[in-house]
Amino acid sequence: MAAITPQARWRFRQPSVLPGFGLTLGYTVTYLTLIILIPLAALAWRAAGLGLDEFIRIATDRRTAGALRVSFEAAFIAALINLVFGLITAWVLVRYRFPGRGVIDAIVDLPFALPTAVAGIALTAIYAPNGPIGALLAPYGIKIAYAFPGVVIALVFIGLPFVVRTVQPVLEDLDREVEEAAATLGAGRFKTIFRVLLPALLPASLTGFALAFARGAGEYGSVIFIAGNIPYVTEIAPLLIVIRLEEFNYGAATAIGALMLIISFVMLLVINLTQAWSRRRYGHG
């Protein structure tokens, strides 16, 4: 077996000026194992105990499939919306100075601090048929609360800060001289945005998208109030898990949780691989 050269050992350990690499690495692995890996392994073990036939039966159940579809479809749509408007919000906060900027910057973090149940009640009060916005839309046959759009709006509300706070630091560190050089070379505004700015922001944007999507897929508190919880229409997977637990059907609850874990892992893996490709492609990271 070939000996490990000092250069390879340096690349593996990446020692810092501060000591304690072994201790901190051991603490990190232990902490992640206790907090994340063991609970997930217990979920997988409990799901495996159902047997393949029972697991497939639960996974292919029409109500289970409908709840998973609502959760992941709404989370994906909400994350896309947040990706667009989160970029715009971060751009305004970083590149412009105006009265009230600090207030707007603080408002972005409100979904982090606000209890999700409070957010759900507030959104329902606004978008319900007798609410201020819902009453204006009702004559046109547009229904927000107790329909799929209400689920999306709730997930947009709780997911926006993830995109803004992920993109904002990268935008602050972005060298404006690159934009000026592009303009000097004859690039127009749209060409500068799509050929210079967006590629530089792509890895951070994908990270914000992944965080918003992951949060939305597992969201419960803010959704159940505005969704109406209609099976096959607005019933989300976390609510179905709670229903199965209340029925003492722990096997079905475990199977649905395992399905959510598998789907989330695959989608986040694809997003992370795309993010790694974009970093190599555009030389950021």
Side-chain angles (χ1 to χ4, degrees), residues 43-44 47 55 72 255-269:
L43 175 65
F55 184 84
F72 285 99
I256 297 170
L259 284 169
M260 291 192 67
L261 176 63
I262 293 170
I263 297 172
S264 298
F265 178 79
V266 171
M267 296 193 71
L268 290 177
L269 178 62

Side-chain angles (χ1 to χ4, degrees), residues 209-251:
F209 174 86
L211 292 173
F213 169 78
R215 171 65 190 276
E219 178 61 18
Y220 175 79
S222 64
V223 176
I224 58 172
F225 292 97
I226 195 172
N229 310 319
I230 305 170
Y232 317 113
V233 180
T234 59
E235 184 179 60
I236 57 174
L239 175 62
L240 185 58
I241 292 175
V242 173
I243 291 174
R244 296 302 183 225
L245 290 174
E246 291 175 346
E247 296 171 347
F248 301 102
N249 191 348
Y250 300 117

Side-chain angles (χ1 to χ4, degrees), residues 3 5 55 60 91 97 101-102 105 109 132 136-137 155 167 184 189 193 216 218 220 247 269 275-276 281-282:
T5 64
F55 184 84
T60 55
W91 176 269
R97 296 294 180 268
R101 175 178 170 274
D105 195 37
D109 291 328
L136 294 175
L137 299 176
L155 299 185
V167 173
T184 302
R189 293 182 180 180
I193 291 173
Y220 175 79
E247 296 171 347
L269 178 62
Q275 180 188 39
R281 173 69 173 79
Y282 297 107

Side-chain angles (χ1 to χ4, degrees), residues 5-6 22 67 107 168:
T5 64
I107 289 175
Q168 193 172 359

Side-chain angles (χ1 to χ4, degrees), residues 26-41:
Y27 173 81
T28 300
V29 173
T30 302
Y31 184 81
L32 291 177
T33 300
L34 292 174
I35 301 300
I36 298 177
L37 295 182
I38 289 180
L40 294 182

